[in-house]
Amino acid sequence: MSQYRTFTAADAVDYARQFGGLDDPSSLVDAQEVGDGNLNLVFKIFDQTGQSRIIVKQALPYVRVVGESWPLTLDRARLEAETLLEHSKFCPQHTVKLLHYDTDLAVMVMEDLSDHAIWRGELVKGSYFPLAAAQLGEYLAQTLFHTSDFFQHPHAKKADVIRFTNPELCEMTEDLFFNDPYQLHERNAYPATLESFVAELRDDHQLRVAVAGLKHRFLSHAEALLHGDIHSGSIFVTATSLKAIDAEFGFYGPIGFDVGTAIGNLLINYCALPGLLAAREAADGREQRLADVREVWLGFAERFLALAAEKTRDRALAYPGYARAFLQQVLQDTIGFCGTELIRRTVGISQVADIKKIASEPMRDECLRHAISLGKTLIVAAPHVQDIDALIARIRQNG
Ligand code: ADP
Ligand code: MG
């Protein structure tokens, strides 16, 4: 039986030769650790021509950005691998292909997506991928519908809720999304110039009640197998293709959490663009982001409704009109969780390139204020927004 040890580059090459499924495994000669994420080791495995062919990802027994003082379960590699496999069953075209995984070594071997680019990096540069939003909507609908009670057998669903129980990673989300930004906490990472602005979050009763409600739903609503962290940095794109990676936060949670996280990251880019690009390009980029947000929601909702009409197995949930009524609740959750994503990415520890790449400090502060205020508005307004066009109108009103 394999036992956990942290891989060196040479270990990663050996492992990729064994489990990469290549016809010519001995062509793999070199590895480079490229993990720019916060948690894990990621090795690219190269052949003699210097081309990257396979990815080996290994979980460390702690949070990489913080160090050994923040231990974290190795079981996250199994959860990531099994979530990717489950999602691949229903949406292989938009899920990174897993080739092999080993629970004891906490390691995964994956297809190399080096011909794609991380969407966040492209959004920061102002590059537009007009197909990506519809593809993301399709990914969300396929993965979330097929793992929900509309489609899963109730026994299989309950077994999967157990299999995908992910207490440690969920606790990170519970703290980083719903606690830290609304209290004084050493993990928060906003500039001192924003102190009084951020203090208003702590003192806003209506906001705090709404955030408590969102956290409660995150804790208790096992609606579908979520990706759990589907932000623009977990999405690879080309002009024609979109692939989700990094599903270690996978668990059964509220559908609106995934949709809201995805939309929230598009809106962070919307808020950051005036600090990243010249005025004309920033204005165009913002319109593209709003179009993206609309397209993600409509792509998701329309496909979900079509799947529900065609494939719902539960007799009561199949009753005409129920799926549409359910999606209305998902829209409200989406808007609320989207607001919490905007706030945790600006006030909390998990800062993003969209904001960090803004060179001018006053401009960065202004974009941060915009994102925080939009987050607050959306969290409070969520129960009153009736459709996607009303959401877009609210976003425009907010500046
Ligand atoms: P973490 O879980 O530590 O956040 P990620 O899964 O986000 O790690 O991967 C970190 C980085 O490694 C990605 O941003 C990307 O640059 C690279 N990477 C991860 N998976 C792949 C892949 N399948 N193909 C190419 N690069 C990848
Ligand atoms: Mg990760």
Side-chain angles (χ1 to χ4, degrees):
M1 207 164 97
S2 48
Q3 267 195 329
Y4 185 79
R5 63 183 191 282
T6 304
F7 273 13
T8 61
D11 293 330
V13 174
D14 275 352
Y15 205 76
R17 284 181 177 175
Q18 274 184 71
F19 297 110
L22 294 185
D23 295 334
D24 53 347
S26 59
S27 69
L28 298 175
V29 292
D30 202 7
Q32 197 186 349
E33 206 280 311
V34 297
D36 58 359
N38 297 328
L39 297 180
N40 305 293
L41 293 175
V42 178
F43 295 96
K44 277 190 178 179
I45 317 294
F46 298 91
D47 65 17
Q48 304 104 329
T49 69
Q51 204 198 329
S52 158
R53 305 273 300 274
I54 297 281
I55 298 292
V56 174
K57 176 171 176 177
Q58 187 179 41
L60 296 164
Y62 50 84
V63 176
R64 182 175 182 177
V65 275
V66 176
E68 295 184 30
S69 63
W70 188 347
L72 192 61
T73 178
L74 290 174
D75 192 38
R76 67 190 195 268
R78 176 191 69 82
L79 286 154
E80 175 167 357
E82 294 190 5
T83 301
L84 291 173
L85 288 174
E86 211 51 36
H87 286 175
S88 288
K89 281 187 199 164
F90 306 113
C91 198
Q93 69 277 31
H94 298 311
T95 307
V96 65
K97 188 169 182 206
L98 189 83
L99 304 168
H100 171 83
Y101 75 105
D102 183 299
T103 302
D104 296 318
L105 287 170
V107 77
M108 270 164 285
V109 183
M110 282 180 277
E111 75 174 307
D112 191 321
L113 294 171
S114 297
D115 59 335
H116 289 56
I118 293 283
W119 199 11
R120 190 187 301 286
E122 299 303 303
L123 290 171
V124 166
K125 285 191 282 184
S127 307
Y128 185 34
F129 290 79
L131 300 185
Q135 292 169 331
L136 179 54
E138 175 76 13
Y139 162 82
L140 291 166
Q142 295 287 354
T143 56
L144 298 170
F145 172 82
H146 286 103
T147 58
S148 75
D149 292 295
F150 285 86
F151 184 74
Q152 271 198 296
H153 186 282
H155 290 189
K157 156 87 189 304
K158 287 170 184 71
D160 274 353
V161 170
I162 294 169
R163 181 158 67 105
F164 290 100
T165 293
N166 195 350
E168 290 194 29
L169 284 281
C170 282
E171 186 182 14
M172 288 181 80
T173 302
E174 286 148 21
D175 286 340
L176 302 184
F177 269 75
F178 306 110
N179 293 354
D180 289 8
Y182 308 94
Q183 59 185 31
L184 286 168
H185 198 288
E186 62 192 13
R187 276 192 299 243
N188 287 336
Y190 55 89
T193 42
L194 263 62
E195 182 51 49
S196 62
F197 193 69
V198 171
E200 289 173 18
L201 300 177
R202 302 196 280 271
D203 298 334
D204 186 329
H205 175 74
Q206 208 188 356
L207 177 74
R208 300 291 300 269
V209 169
V211 170
L214 288 162
K215 182 175 185 185
H216 199 180
R217 287 207 280 293
F218 182 83
L219 288 163
S220 59
H221 282 210
E223 291 175 350
L225 176 59
L226 308 189
H227 176 285
D229 194 23
I230 188 73
H231 58 88
S232 51
S234 301
I235 297 172
F236 270 110
V237 289
T238 69
T240 55
S241 165
L242 176 141
K243 303 267 184 190
I245 63 164
D246 197 14
E248 69 198 311
F249 285 78
F251 83 112
Y252 272 76
I255 287 176
F257 183 81
D258 263 9
V259 186
T261 302
I263 286 179
N265 281 274
L266 296 173
L267 289 181
I268 287 169
N269 184 260
Y270 170 86
C271 294
L273 281 174
L276 293 167
L277 304 177
R280 179 76 179 273
E281 285 77 41
D284 290 347
R286 288 182 131 200
E287 288 307 311
Q288 290 158 0
R289 259 348 49 73
L290 292 183
D292 285 344
V293 166
R294 197 167 177 280
E295 189 74 37
V296 169
W297 173 261
L298 289 177
F300 160 75
E302 282 165 13
R303 175 66 75 205
F304 196 100
L305 276 180
L307 289 168
E310 190 193 334
K311 296 174 87 172
T312 299
R313 290 173 174 167
D314 184 276
R315 279 219 246 155
L317 272 53
Y319 188 75
Y322 177 68
R324 198 174 283 281
F326 173 70
L327 280 179
Q328 202 56 33
Q329 178 60 52
V330 173
L331 176 63
Q332 295 181 4
D333 284 357
T334 294
I335 296 167
F337 287 123
C338 167
T340 60
E341 176 72 354
L342 281 159
I343 290 181
R344 76 104 173 194
R345 292 292 190 180
T346 45
V347 174
I349 188 178
S350 310
Q351 305 278 322
V352 287
D354 309 61
I355 299 287
K356 285 196 281 192
K357 293 263 178 182
I358 299 172
S360 143
E361 243 175 71
M363 195 58 175
R364 195 158 64 226
D365 282 6
E366 200 175 312
C367 295
L368 280 168
R369 280 173 199 270
H370 183 194
I372 295 166
S373 115
L374 179 59
K376 207 158 84 167
T377 299
L378 295 185
I379 292 169
V380 173
H384 314 291
V385 179
Q386 289 309 310
D387 58 34
I388 189 67
D389 290 319
L391 172 65
I392 303 287
R394 290 261 179 174
I395 297 166
R396 286 191 195 279
Q397 258 170 32
N398 200 77

